[in-house]
Amino acid sequence: MTVILNEGDSAGTTGAASGSPVDAAPDPGKAMTRGRLVLIRFARNKLALVGLVIIVGMYLMAFIGPLLSKWTYDTQDYTAFLEPPYSEHIFGTDKIGTDMFALTMRGLQKSLIIGLLVALISTTVAAVVGAAAGYFLGVADKALMWLVDLLLVLPSFLIIAILSPWFRGKSWFLLVLMLAAFQWMITARIVRGMTLTLKEREFVKAAKFMGQPARKIIAKHIVPNMASLLIIDATINVGSAVLAETGLSYFGFGVQSPDVSLGTLIGVNAESATTFPWLFLFPAGFLVVFVLAVNWVGDGLRDALDPTSTRVRRKEKKKDTKEKAA
Amino acid sequence: MAGFLLRRLVNYVVLALVATFLAFTLASATFDPIGVLQQRNPPPPAASIEAKKRDLHLDQPIPQRFVTWMGGVVQGDFGRTIADRPITDELGRRIGVSLRLFLLGITIGIGFGVLLGVVSAIRQYKFSDYFATLFSFILLSTPVFVLGTLLKMGAQGINDSIGSNVLIFVGESTPGFQGNWFEHLGDRLQHLIVPTLAIALGQIAYYSRYQRSSMLDVLGSDFLRTAQAKGLTRRKALFKHGLRTALIPMATLFAFGFGLLVVGGTFTERIFGWFGMGDWLVTGISAQDTNVTATVTLFVAVCVLFSGWLADVLYAALDPRIRVN
C-alpha cells in the first residue's frame, strides 16, 4: 500500500511551483545541476538521512552479521534452550537451542531480498504498462483500469493466499513473482495519468512527427520524465513488499520452510510472545524499523525530487518573513 | 443521481461476481482436497475417496462447478465445507463476529483519525503536528500482526500489575459465562477492548495523514477566508466550511479502507482468537476448501461493493453539486 505522507505540504503553492529554486546552494560560482539540487535537498532532511543509514546498515548487517557470529541458523546449542539474551547468545535462543541472532539475520536476508526484487520488478512493470496504456489508450487502457478496480475488490493478499498451496515446496522466487504481479496496478494507473499529459507536450509530439516509433518514445521520452515518481514508488514499494511478504509468511502462505523470513519468525513466535518476548521482539523490531526507515526515505525523496513539494522551501519562507519582520 | 448510483451498483455487482469467480477458479485449480484425504492414517478406502470426489463435483469442469455453487448461493445455500458441514449455518455467526469487531474499530479509527488530522493541519509545524506525524509514521510501519501481539503483551502487563484479568485478549466472550444481560455485555466489552484498539490505531494513523493533507488544501483556499471575512468565527468557518469540504476526498478512502480492513482483520481475528470471516479464510485455505474460500471472497467483495456505494452516497451528502446533477 502506498501511503502518501505529508502530501498536503505542497498545498496551495502548487500553482506557483515553477518559481526559481529558492533553496539552491549559495555558491554562485558553481552551476547547479538537478542531481546536486536533489542531493542537497535530500541531505537537508534529517529523518530521511537517518532512514537511509538504517536501510544500508540493515542490508549490510543481514549479509555480514551472520559471518561475525559463531552460531549459525542450522546448529543448536544443547546447553541453552529458551534462554533470554545474554553474552553467549545476544538475541537469546529458541526452544531447540538455535541462536536467535543467526535466525533473525537469516530471516532479515530473505525479507530484504524479496522486498528489493519485488519493488524493482513491480515498478518496472508499472512504468511500462502504465505508459503503454496511456500512450496507446484503447483496449490496453480499458484492461488496466479494470484490473485496478478488480484488485480493490479482490485484494492481492487473498489471491496469493489462495495460490499458496501451489507454490508450497517450490522456490521462494515464485513468491517474488506473485507479489510483484499484484503490486504494480495502482502505480501503473498513476503513470497512465501522467502519460496522458506528457503525450501532449511539444517534445513528445516532435519526436512523433520525426518518425520515432512509439516504443522508443515511451522508453526515451515518457518514462525518463517520470523518473522522480518511479524512484519514489520503487522505494515505497520495498516497504510494502516486505510488509506483504511478512503478512503472508505469518500465516504460512508466503516463504516456506526450510527458508525463513521475518514473517515466518514472527508468525511462529507470536504465540509465545507474552512468555518468551525475545523470540518475538527481535524479528518484529527489525521489521518495524526497516519499514519505518523506508517510509522516511520515501518521504525525503518525495520532498527532494518533486519540484512542487515545498516543505523545505515553505519553512525557509517562514524564516524569511520572520527575519524581515524583525 | 439515481441513474448514477444504479450504474455504479451494476458495475460493482459485475466486479463482485468476477472476483468471486476468479477466487473460485484459482482455488479449485490449486487446491487438492483429495490429496489431504489420502494422507490420512489409516488411508480411507478407495470407495469413500470416489464418493468424496463426487460430493465435491471434482469430475466436472471448474466453470460448471462454479455455476452449481453460484446457483446454490442465489438460493441462500453456500454449499458444504470439506468436513461436510453446511456453510450457511456458520456464515451468519461468523459475519456477526467480524462486523462487531470491524464496525467499532473503523468508527473509532475514522473519528479519531479525522480529528487528529484536522488538529495537525490547523496547528501545522507545531509540536502536536510533529508528534502526530511521528505517531502515524511508526504505526503505519507496524503491521497489524506485530501491533496486535505488542498490545497483547501490554494487556498482559496491565493485567499482571492490577492483579486481575481486566483486559481479556483471547476469544470474543468467556465460554460458559453465567450472568444477566448486563454482565454479558460487560464480559463482551472486556474481550473487545484490545482487538478494537489493534484495528483502530492503524486506522487513526492512516486517516489522519490524508485528513491532514486535504485539510491543508482547504485551509489555503479563498472561500475559507471569505467565510471569515463575512463575520464567521474561525471555529465556525473551519468546521462548517472547511472540514466539510476536506471530508469529500476522504469518502472514497473510508469506503475502500473498509474493504481492505476485512483482509487486515484476518490478522486481528487470528491473533485474538475471534472466529470471524478472516479466521475462516485462513482455515479454509489451510484445509484446501474451495467453498469456504469462495464464500469469504464473496463476503469481501460485497463489503467493498457496499462501502463503495456508501462512498457515492456520502459524496452526495457532502457535495451539493452532485445532488443537483
Side-chain angles (χ1 to χ4, degrees):
Chain A
M1 195 189 312
T2 326
V3 175
I4 300 164
L5 296 143
N6 285 326
E7 195 191 26
D9 291 320
S10 61
T13 42
T14 341
S18 53
S20 61
V22 182
D23 48 345
D27 183 6
K30 254 185 188 165
M32 188 53 127
T33 62
R34 179 169 155 72
R36 266 199 53 182
L37 178 68
V38 166
L39 212 67
I40 289 171
R41 292 174 111 195
F42 183 80
R44 218 177 265 167
N45 189 335
K46 291 272 157 23
L47 277 184
L49 271 186
V50 171
L52 190 65
V53 170
I54 292 176
I55 292 174
V56 173
M58 277 210 182
Y59 271 97
L60 288 178
M61 192 176 177
F63 289 94
I64 297 173
L67 305 176
L68 304 178
S69 166
K70 68 175 194 174
W71 301 103
T72 57
Y73 66 90
D74 51 1
T75 53
Q76 279 86 40
D77 181 356
Y78 297 113
T79 61
F81 298 118
L82 280 175
E83 289 288 343
Y86 67 111
S87 57
E88 186 74 2
H89 298 279
I90 50 172
F91 284 7
T93 57
D94 72 357
K95 62 172 180 279
I96 55 167
T98 315
D99 183 59
M100 270 315 280
F101 177 76
L103 263 185
T104 309
M105 286 305 111
R106 189 167 143 79
L108 189 65
Q109 261 183 31
K110 187 104 301 145
S111 289
L112 294 192
I113 296 179
I114 290 178
L116 193 66
L117 287 177
V118 170
L120 286 179
I121 297 174
S122 67
T123 305
T124 312
V125 172
V128 173
V129 176
Y135 191 80
F136 297 116
L137 295 173
V139 182
D141 181 48
K142 286 260 161 53
L144 175 71
M145 307 302 275
W146 201 75
L147 266 178
V148 177
D149 274 353
L150 189 64
L151 199 68
L152 288 171
V153 187
L154 197 64
S156 60
F157 174 85
L158 228 157
I159 307 176
I160 302 179
I162 290 175
L163 288 176
S164 65
W166 169 69
F167 60 75
R168 191 161 293 159
K170 297 190 183 120
S171 159
W172 56 270
F173 192 69
L174 273 177
L175 178 68
V176 169
L177 292 183
M178 299 290 296
L179 285 169
F182 293 107
Q183 211 172 46
W184 57 272
M185 278 93 146
I186 291 174
T187 314
R189 203 166 157 168
I190 302 171
V191 169
R192 172 193 169 271
M194 292 179 76
T195 309
L196 286 181
T197 52
L198 274 176
K199 214 167 85 169
E200 303 302 321
R201 295 277 291 276
E202 291 80 358
F203 62 92
V204 175
K205 283 194 166 155
K208 205 171 172 181
F209 296 144
M210 275 188 273
Q212 288 269 327
R215 162 176 59 84
K216 268 200 174 152
I217 295 180
I218 289 177
K220 286 175 85 174
H221 298 288
I222 291 184
V223 172
N225 269 293
M226 293 182 294
S228 313
L229 171 88
L230 294 176
I231 292 172
I232 298 165
D233 182 66
T235 310
I236 292 175
N237 270 350
V238 176
S240 29
V242 169
L243 283 183
E245 176 270 311
T246 46
L248 286 161
S249 303
Y250 178 85
F251 288 130
F253 297 150
V255 172
Q256 307 287 342
S257 69
D259 286 330
V260 171
S261 88
L262 289 182
T264 59
L265 284 177
I266 295 171
V268 167
N269 295 318
E271 276 299 306
S272 42
T274 42
T275 33
F276 311 111
W278 63 92
L279 294 179
F280 166 79
L281 284 180
F282 286 110
F286 272 94
L287 175 65
V288 171
V289 171
F290 178 76
V291 178
L292 190 62
V294 168
N295 283 344
W296 277 338
V297 171
D299 210 42
L301 278 177
R302 200 195 327 275
D303 285 346
L305 284 168
D306 184 1
T308 58
S309 166
T310 43
R311 183 186 196 176
V312 188
R313 218 180 289 166
R314 227 199 231 179
K315 261 190 190 167
E316 274 180 3
K317 263 190 202 158
K318 255 191 182 172
K319 227 185 268 168
D320 282 353
T321 44
K322 263 183 200 164
E323 275 163 15
K324 266 178 208 162
Chain B
M1 184 66 205
F4 168 71
L5 285 182
L6 199 70
R7 240 179 309 143
R8 299 294 291 170
L9 186 66
V10 171
N11 178 36
Y12 279 128
V13 168
V14 170
L15 267 175
L17 269 179
V18 171
T20 315
F21 174 69
L22 219 66
F24 190 92
T25 309
L26 287 178
S28 306
T30 50
F31 290 175
D32 179 20
I34 297 302
V36 176
L37 198 66
Q38 276 167 338
Q39 275 165 13
R40 269 195 205 161
N41 202 12
S48 71
I49 288 181
E50 281 307 312
K52 192 83 198 170
K53 270 189 188 167
R54 251 197 325 280
D55 276 355
L56 297 172
H57 305 296
L58 289 189
D59 44 352
Q60 294 171 359
I62 293 172
Q64 197 181 338
R65 274 186 253 166
F66 178 72
V67 171
T68 313
W69 180 75
M70 205 65 213
V73 169
V74 174
Q75 294 165 22
D77 175 18
F78 287 83
R80 291 173 162 272
T81 64
I82 286 274
D84 213 27
R85 284 218 186 82
I87 288 180
T88 317
D89 291 1
E90 215 176 329
L91 187 66
R93 192 181 55 75
R94 282 197 183 255
I95 288 180
V97 170
S98 283
L99 287 187
R100 192 156 17 143
L101 187 62
F102 297 160
L103 287 180
L104 191 64
I106 203 165
T107 312
I108 294 175
I110 289 179
F112 280 90
V114 166
L115 202 69
L116 190 66
V118 169
V119 171
S120 291
I122 294 176
R123 303 174 52 83
Q124 194 188 12
Y125 299 138
K126 297 267 170 54
F127 173 76
S128 58
D129 182 30
Y130 282 120
F131 183 76
T133 305
L134 188 70
F135 163 83
S136 4
F137 255 125
I138 292 177
L139 273 179
L140 285 175
S141 309
T142 312
V144 187
F145 51 90
V146 172
L147 183 68
T149 312
L150 285 176
L151 285 173
K152 229 171 161 175
M153 292 164 80
Q156 179 77 51
I158 292 176
N159 284 347
D160 286 348
S161 63
I162 296 177
S164 76
N165 251 4
V166 182
L167 302 167
I168 309 170
F169 45 79
V170 180
E172 45 140 352
S173 61
T174 311
F177 185 82
Q178 296 293 323
N180 58 28
W181 179 85
F182 189 72
E183 282 164 337
H184 264 289
L185 189 72
D187 178 56
R188 296 253 160 162
L189 269 181
Q190 274 186 313
H191 285 84
L192 206 53
I193 293 172
V194 188
T196 305
L197 211 59
I199 289 182
L201 279 177
Q203 303 267 317
I204 292 173
Y206 181 71
Y207 291 128
S208 71
R209 297 314 298 164
Y210 283 99
Q211 182 65 49
R212 177 179 178 274
S213 297
S214 87
M215 194 69 190
L216 279 176
D217 275 334
V218 171
L219 282 181
S221 62
D222 293 335
F223 71 83
L224 206 65
R225 198 182 45 205
T226 312
Q228 270 177 281
K230 71 171 188 182
L232 247 63
T233 59
R234 181 168 163 77
R235 179 183 297 263
K236 225 174 183 176
L238 277 179
F239 282 90
K240 276 197 81 172
H241 295 240
L243 181 60
R244 184 173 177 157
T245 318
L247 273 176
I248 293 175
M250 298 291 289
T252 319
L253 214 57
F254 294 149
F256 288 121
F258 185 73
L260 290 174
L261 182 70
V262 179
V263 172
T266 308
F267 294 97
T268 320
E269 285 179 13
R270 291 290 284 196
I271 291 170
F272 297 104
W274 286 55
F275 299 115
M277 294 303 282
D279 171 75
W280 219 12
L281 176 72
V282 177
T283 44
I285 293 174
S286 302
Q288 315 233 349
D289 192 329
T290 305
N291 286 353
V292 168
T293 310
T295 305
V296 178
T297 311
L298 184 63
F299 171 72
V300 174
V302 169
C303 278
V304 178
L305 180 151
F306 175 72
S307 41
W309 223 56
L310 207 66
D312 296 333
V313 175
L314 268 180
Y315 262 116
L318 288 169
D319 192 338
R321 282 168 301 183
I322 293 178
R323 252 175 305 171
V324 173
N325 289 339

